[in-house]
């Protein structure tokens, strides 16, 4: 059985979007939930002392947000835990899980072939040219740790 981490980047939407769906849908696969919040924004108070399967981190470190927004936080906590898990799932606070077995389906996808290293949800939003095949939709994506370790996660900073 693969060791799986689900890194959920919390924010204002998690209280009415992510949490209800997370607790209502069976994941179908054992995992640790790594909750990354911004000074507990949107985190229900009863989740602050959960043991075992939940690891809680603040996105605010030394009074400043981890740089590069959501993907910067994903990168930061992937590097922190890269040797502890074989698969990582990255979820933002506006994701609503819709079915039981959602995580099992992700694991099955990554297990389907040794050359599969990444996957993502893609929501068609009605525009003719979207989703484009080159676009990795940020709200839910997943990867094998061995593949992520090969990538240089650098961010290009452009003018503001």
């Amino acid at each position: 059985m693969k060791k799986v981490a689900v890194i959920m980047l919390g924010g204002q939407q998690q209280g009415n979007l992510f949490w209800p769906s997370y607790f209502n849908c069976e994941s179908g696969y054992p995992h640790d939930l790594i909750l990354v919040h911004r000074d507990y924004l949107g985190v229900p108070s009863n989740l602050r002392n959960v043991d075992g399967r939940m690891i809680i981190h603040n996105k605010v470190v030394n009074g400043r947000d981890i740089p590069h927004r959501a993907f910067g936080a994903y990168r930061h906590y992937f590097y922190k835990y890269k040797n502890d898990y074989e698969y990582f799932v990255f979820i933002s606070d506006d994701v609503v899980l819709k079915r039981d077995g959602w995580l099992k389906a992700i694991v099955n996808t990554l297990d389907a072939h040794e050359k599969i290293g990444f996957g993502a949800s893609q929501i068609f939003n009605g525009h003719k040219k979207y989703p484009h095949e080159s676009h990795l939709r940020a709200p839910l994506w997943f990867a094998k740790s061995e593949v992520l370790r090969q990538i240089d996660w650098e961010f290009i900073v452009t003018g503001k």
Side-chain angles (χ1 to χ4, degrees), residues 17 19 42 69 92 101 111 127 141 144 148 157 160:
L17 296 175
W19 289 120
R69 305 178 54 102
S92 67
D111 282 347
H127 295 291
W141 62 285
K144 293 177 179 172
L148 288 173
V157 179
K160 295 183 180 193

Side-chain angles (χ1 to χ4, degrees), residues 42-68:
V43 177
S45 60
N46 62 343
L47 294 178
R48 292 185 185 188
N49 294 315
V50 175
D51 61 354
R53 293 180 44 186
M54 186 171 296
I55 302 165
I56 302 176
H57 290 287
N58 198 335
K59 190 176 183 296
V60 178
V61 178
N62 296 324
R64 299 183 65 184
D65 268 12
I66 294 170
H68 307 295

Side-chain angles (χ1 to χ4, degrees), residues 17-18 20-23 25 91 95-99 102 140:
L17 296 175
F18 175 76
S21 69
Y22 180 77
F23 290 120
C25 293
I91 300 178
V95 167
V96 176
L97 302 168
K98 296 280 190 170
R99 66 179 177 101
W102 63 271
L140 190 147

